[in-house]
């Protein structure tokens, strides 16, 4: 049984699915066990491989031999499957995230890898299993999505080397990109258009802030997940060093997401509001008047960060 | 003297600049001769290498030895520099576009290459010139921009192979991506937000249309170039097969840009309006009432293309 983290991204499902296919090719009765739905644009990656916990327990009522967790290494990342995971006679972890502890019998963890899919590629090769087109597509999807199409700083020589080798198996990955990136819901486009319409530069153009309200979601027929990517786009503005997005949750609380481009550190300001994160990406959640929270945050970004 | 096409993109300036640096390293007194300004986000690629026609004529009043045209192979692509180009004692062309004719004494044209920068890389290696970091950055910029960050169908095994070799020279190209892509003018964000706000699905959700007017440009403080990329984003919508963008020119004419995602052919419809292009990307320009043009186009897309 192969497990990956909740809210599966391209690397999570791509890595899990490629490993599952390789195991099946070696005659192993393997499945990817999930506890949440795949995003629509990623569903082709998990096709015919995924089962839920109830199905897994029914199919393997006498227990299973191996549990593998992929692209994660903590039970909190697969909470509803933790018991099932621990039932495996042998436990294996394959991950590229930095972790404090290793929870498994065998651990293949490499934080230098741009994507877990790179580790899966090397593992399948080491297994001596011939990588076929279905596996290549899933490995590619994992690498491309987790490196921001080779733009993020986690992209290395090995990333491109592996992808160049994948082209020996599959002529073109253009169709994979179309499937993943050219499936945007209309409601998402409308929501983002409204978010950017309300975007406001401040601190001499070095910072930008925007908001998403429950009303906006209703008007656009969108969900909060549709605001994904907007804070990165705001940070990408010319001369902008700090970008902030304020999301109004259903309970009325405001979730602030802050991003820095090059030199600024947004983590301290977020920590002072009871939040956390890294220098370049941090956030906090608080209750209060949305306008007031926005004005206070603008003032603090201008005075404490931009200076 | 190195020439490239007007409205320089990343591959044009990246290729020209990398070749210029390599020639200089070999002791050749080389320059990139331009007739228009580089886009702000690409200006770092041409730094200290570009001169305009007047400067070139002054510096080389006794004539010059070699003219190289890069990423283009027709004089119409460098109209104000055609005479100067033809003054070169020897003419060389390096390009990855399909061309009918070869206009130069020496032609290195390979339509299979994802970017002209790939040809420049192979050429510099063949010259025996050691590629340094400044050249690597420019070759990378050319490849990354012309392949849509490795997503377009022109991306090949060789594309990734070359980039993996560039990592031997430069540890990370993340900063290059930030420089190129994280420099969006605020006016562009506002304009695109307004364009998408007016986007309209039709033909049962299989087609989408949007407009840009001169009034919108004024309101946003934007220029027409700021609408670049919007028609691709519209085509990327879920279930959409055909996307159309109508741009109102300064003279009141309407320029229509049509894009197809997978199976449709938009070239015939555009040809019937006196325009042209390919199956997946075509356009036309006509005069008339903007509303009427929009309604007629919608009807034609629905009836003649989506069917």
């Amino acid at each position: 049984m192969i497990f990956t983290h909740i809210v599966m991204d391209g690397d999570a499902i791509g890595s899990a699915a490629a490993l599952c296919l390789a195991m099946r090719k070696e005659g192993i009765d393997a499945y990817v066990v999930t506890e949440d739905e795949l995003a629509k644009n990623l569903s082709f990656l998990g096709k015919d491989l995924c089962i839920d916990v109830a199905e897994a327990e029914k199919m393997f009522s006498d227990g299973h031999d191996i549990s593998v967790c992929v692209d994660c290494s903590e039970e909190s990342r697969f909470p509803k499957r933790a018991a099932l995971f621990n039932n495996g006679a042998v436990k294996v972890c394959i991950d590229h995230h930095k972790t404090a502890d290793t929870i498994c019998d065998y651990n293949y963890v490499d934080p230098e890898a741009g994507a877990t899919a790179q580790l899966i590629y090397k593992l399948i090769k080491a297994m001596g299993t011939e990588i076929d087109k279905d596996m290549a597509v899933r490995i590619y999807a994992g690498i491309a999505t987790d490196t921001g199409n080779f733009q993020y700083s986690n992209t290395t020589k090995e990333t491109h080397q592996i992808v160049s080798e994948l082209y020996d198996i599959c002529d073109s990955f253009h169709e994979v990109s179309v499937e993943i990136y050219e499936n945007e819901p209309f409601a998402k486009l409308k929501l983002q258009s409204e978010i950017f319409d309300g975007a406001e530069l401040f601190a001499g153009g070095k910072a930008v802030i925007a908001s998403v309200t429950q009303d906006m979601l209703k008007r656009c027929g969108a969900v909060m997940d549709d605001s994904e990517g907007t804070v990165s786009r705001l940070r990408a503005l010319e001369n902008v060093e700090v970008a902030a997005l304020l999301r109004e949750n259903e309970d009325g609380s405001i979730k602030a997401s802050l991003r820095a481009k090059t030199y600024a550190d947004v983590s301290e300001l977020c920590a002072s509001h009871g939040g956390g994160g890294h220098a370049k990406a941090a956030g906090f959640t608080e209750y209060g008047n949305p306008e007031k929270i926005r004005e206070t945050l603008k003032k603090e970004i201008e005075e404490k960060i931009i200076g």
Side-chain angles (χ1 to χ4, degrees), chain A:
Chain A
M1 290 188 194
I2 300 162
F3 300 75
T4 186
H5 59 79
I6 47 171
V7 193
M8 290 172 273
D9 54 24
D11 196 25
I13 186 61
S15 295
L19 180 64
C20 187
L21 288 166
M23 291 175 102
R24 286 188 182 181
K25 202 168 186 175
E26 293 301 328
I28 300 168
D29 193 21
Y31 291 89
V32 178
V33 184
T34 60
E35 66 186 79
D36 55 358
E37 291 289 311
L38 271 168
K40 205 179 157 190
N41 64 329
L42 300 177
S43 62
F44 73 106
L45 298 170
K47 200 165 169 288
D48 299 332
L49 301 170
C50 297
I51 54 175
D52 63 22
V53 176
E55 288 173 302
E57 285 174 342
K58 202 172 164 188
M59 290 170 74
F60 295 87
S61 54
D62 295 334
H64 63 284
D65 299 319
I66 312 174
S67 286
V68 189
C69 62
V70 161
D71 200 40
C72 58
S73 44
E74 285 168 28
E75 289 179 9
S76 63
R77 302 290 284 139
F78 41 91
K80 292 180 187 162
R81 292 163 291 168
L84 188 62
F85 178 80
N86 286 313
N87 279 350
V90 175
K91 290 183 283 177
V92 181
C93 171
I94 307 164
D95 192 14
H96 77 130
H97 296 93
K98 265 187 200 144
T99 52
D101 282 321
T102 47
I103 58 169
C104 293
D105 305 305
Y106 300 93
N107 298 281
Y108 179 20
V109 177
D110 180 2
E112 299 296 313
T116 295
Q118 292 183 199
L119 305 181
I120 297 292
Y121 174 80
K122 295 202 278 186
L123 185 68
I124 299 177
K125 269 183 75 172
M127 283 161 63
T129 308
E130 199 190 340
I131 298 179
D132 60 26
K133 197 178 161 178
D134 285 340
M135 297 178 210
V137 161
R138 284 157 181 81
I139 292 166
Y140 178 84
I143 294 175
T145 54
D146 239 38
T147 61
N149 290 307
F150 311 96
Q151 289 181 76
Y152 299 159
S153 54
N154 61 358
T155 310
T156 62
K157 179 182 181 67
E158 190 176 49
T159 309
H160 284 282
Q161 247 168 354
I162 290 173
V163 173
S164 79
E165 288 173 29
L166 292 176
Y167 273 86
D168 291 333
I169 303 156
C170 181
D171 272 355
S172 169
F173 294 98
H174 171 61
E175 295 68 24
V176 179
S177 295
V178 170
E179 194 73 31
I180 295 176
Y181 298 110
E182 306 217 347
N183 254 315
E184 184 171 48
F186 193 60
K188 183 175 173 178
L189 183 80
K190 288 288 181 181
L191 178 70
Q192 297 205 354
S193 159
E194 200 168 330
I195 295 170
F196 294 138
D197 189 52
E200 178 193 358
L201 287 177
F202 63 101
K206 289 187 176 163
V208 62
I209 193 164
S211 301
V212 198
T213 65
Q214 291 291 322
D215 273 353
M216 286 162 71
L217 299 183
K218 271 177 218 143
R219 243 195 322 272
C220 301
V223 292
M224 195 51 90
D225 276 355
D226 290 331
S227 66
E228 199 205 302
T230 46
V231 68
S232 302
R233 179 93 188 268
L234 290 171
R235 181 180 54 182
L237 286 166
E238 190 179 24
N239 303 323
V240 160
E241 174 59 28
V242 175
L245 182 68
L246 297 172
R247 293 186 178 93
E248 181 194 20
N249 292 320
E250 281 183 51
D251 68 355
S253 63
I254 303 291
K255 186 184 170 193
S257 299
L258 274 73
R259 297 286 182 276
K261 193 184 276 176
T262 50
Y263 60 86
D265 182 338
V266 293
S267 64
E268 271 185 52
L269 195 153
C270 291
S272 76
H273 285 265
H278 313 282
K280 300 275 169 278
F284 64 87
T285 300
E286 65 186 24
Y287 288 85
N289 177 292
E291 305 298 319
K292 212 179 150 189
I293 291 176
R294 180 160 165 156
E295 288 313 308
T296 305
L297 183 57
K298 279 173 60 182
K299 206 177 158 209
E300 290 184 354
I301 290 172
E302 177 149 22
E303 289 173 3
K304 296 184 185 167
I305 303 181
I306 304 295

